[in-house]
Amino acid sequence: MTTGLVAPEHEDWRHFARKALANRSFLTGAVITAFVVAVALVSFVWTPYDVTKLVIADRLQAPTASHWFGTDHFGRDILSMVMVGSRNSIAVALIAVGIGMAAGVPLGCWAAAKRGVADEILMRTSDIIFAFPALLSAVMITAIFGPGAVNAIIAIGIFNIPVFARVARGGALALWPREFILAARAAGKGAGLITVQHILPNIANLLLVQGTIQFSLGILAEAGLSYVGLGTQPPAPSWGRMLFEAQTMMSIAPHMAIVPGMAIIITVLGLNLLGDGLRDVLDPKLRREH
């Protein structure tokens, strides 16, 4: 039985949809992100040309009707490489965010519930990790364990762990003194059950917004690692490696750098706009009181 103080679930979704459609940042970011994801999905079944096929006779062609974005120094179609590179970048960033969230959220919630020594250890460890720039940390890890997409995922994922731990901890600390949490404790529920039933659902919005932001940073990190030769390895295309290969061709084939560079910029911009829009739409202070 519901009361007037609790809105039905479908009303919550309708309210979210209305706010989302009225938010320009969310709409723009969602459209750009959906387009990039669609391109990545299409690349699994179709690309204009085979990205592993070298056609030296067609090398360094400017954009034409046959090759919309031109060709590179090996005669490969740049549009096809950007399409395949999008799925590699998205896969690396998505899995890395998943690693950070899967490990960081439980740690943050545990520290908030235990406080004391556990909380202090988590915070000081986070401070140590944050003392090193994210890309530098990823470079050090991949330099030690070797280049490749798997090690890039691990490196980016490790840096994401303290990020999500801090977000989860901050959100959980704000909830533990609340009346409904005190009522749950009075009913005999343990810290673990309270976390699962009450804390996590109430900090899901924070985690979703942070996940979107970390996703965009993961795209940049993967491109940076591939640029220095520590990320996705050939023959698999990568936006960062495409930029590296184009740096000596700027005077004769600037399209080799412009196209992957714009792909990175547009993707990161879309994800950042989506994150900003989500933060506005999901901000509790802006939500309708039921």
Side-chain angles (χ1 to χ4, degrees):
M1 179 178 179
T2 58
T3 68
L5 297 177
V6 180
E9 185 176 349
H10 71 277
E11 286 293 335
D12 289 341
W13 280 107
R14 290 173 61 183
H15 178 52
F16 171 82
R18 285 195 297 269
K19 293 193 68 174
L21 291 174
N23 188 288
R24 292 184 179 179
S25 292
F26 179 87
L27 280 178
T28 305
V31 169
I32 293 174
T33 302
F35 175 76
V36 174
V37 171
V39 169
L41 293 176
V42 169
S43 71
F44 281 103
V45 295
W46 176 83
T47 55
Y49 295 88
D50 184 356
V51 296
T52 63
K53 185 177 181 180
L54 309 184
V55 186
I56 303 302
D58 293 338
R59 65 191 301 267
L60 300 178
Q61 285 190 10
T64 62
S66 300
H67 300 279
W68 288 3
F69 293 160
T71 61
D72 67 359
H73 55 306
F74 290 127
R76 296 172 296 186
D77 180 63
I78 291 180
L79 173 58
S80 301
M81 294 185 66
V82 168
M83 291 177 65
V84 178
S86 66
R87 75 187 189 208
N88 293 331
S89 296
I90 289 174
V92 170
L94 187 61
I95 298 173
V97 169
I99 292 173
M101 189 174 291
V105 173
L107 280 174
C109 292
W110 174 72
K114 294 295 183 181
R115 302 299 298 274
V117 176
D119 189 27
E120 191 67 21
I121 291 175
L122 176 66
M123 296 305 296
R124 298 295 77 79
T125 303
S126 299
D127 290 340
I128 293 173
I129 296 177
F130 286 138
F132 299 92
L135 186 57
L136 177 60
S137 301
V139 167
M140 289 191 298
I141 293 173
T142 50
I144 293 172
F145 295 102
V150 174
N151 289 336
I153 290 172
I154 295 173
I156 301 170
I158 289 175
F159 186 82
N160 281 333
I161 292 174
V163 173
F164 284 103
R166 284 202 169 206
V167 172
R169 172 187 174 274
L173 284 177
L175 291 173
W176 275 104
R178 298 285 295 275
E179 290 80 0
F180 67 97
I181 298 295
L182 297 177
R185 296 179 68 179
K189 293 182 179 181
L193 189 58
I194 291 175
T195 297
V196 173
Q197 292 185 345
H198 302 289
I199 299 295
L200 286 177
N202 281 283
I203 65 173
N205 294 346
L206 293 174
L207 298 175
L208 179 61
V209 173
Q210 190 63 45
T212 305
I213 295 172
Q214 294 306 121
F215 191 19
S216 67
L217 295 178
I219 296 286
L220 284 175
E222 190 281 331
L225 289 174
S226 296
Y227 182 84
V228 297
L230 296 175
T232 305
Q233 298 297 296
S238 169
W239 292 343
R241 177 160 287 278
M242 291 175 69
L243 286 175
F244 172 77
E245 294 174 348
Q247 63 182 351
T248 58
M249 304 287 179
M250 286 296 296
S251 60
I252 57 176
H255 61 275
M256 284 182 59
I258 293 173
V259 176
M262 289 303 298
I264 295 173
I265 292 172
I266 290 172
T267 302
V268 173
L269 175 63
L271 288 168
N272 284 335
L273 287 174
L274 181 60
D276 287 342
L278 278 173
R279 183 168 49 241
D280 293 340
V281 172
L282 299 175
D283 189 344
K285 295 180 180 178
L286 301 179
R287 297 183 67 176
R288 183 180 63 185
E289 295 293 329
H290 294 290

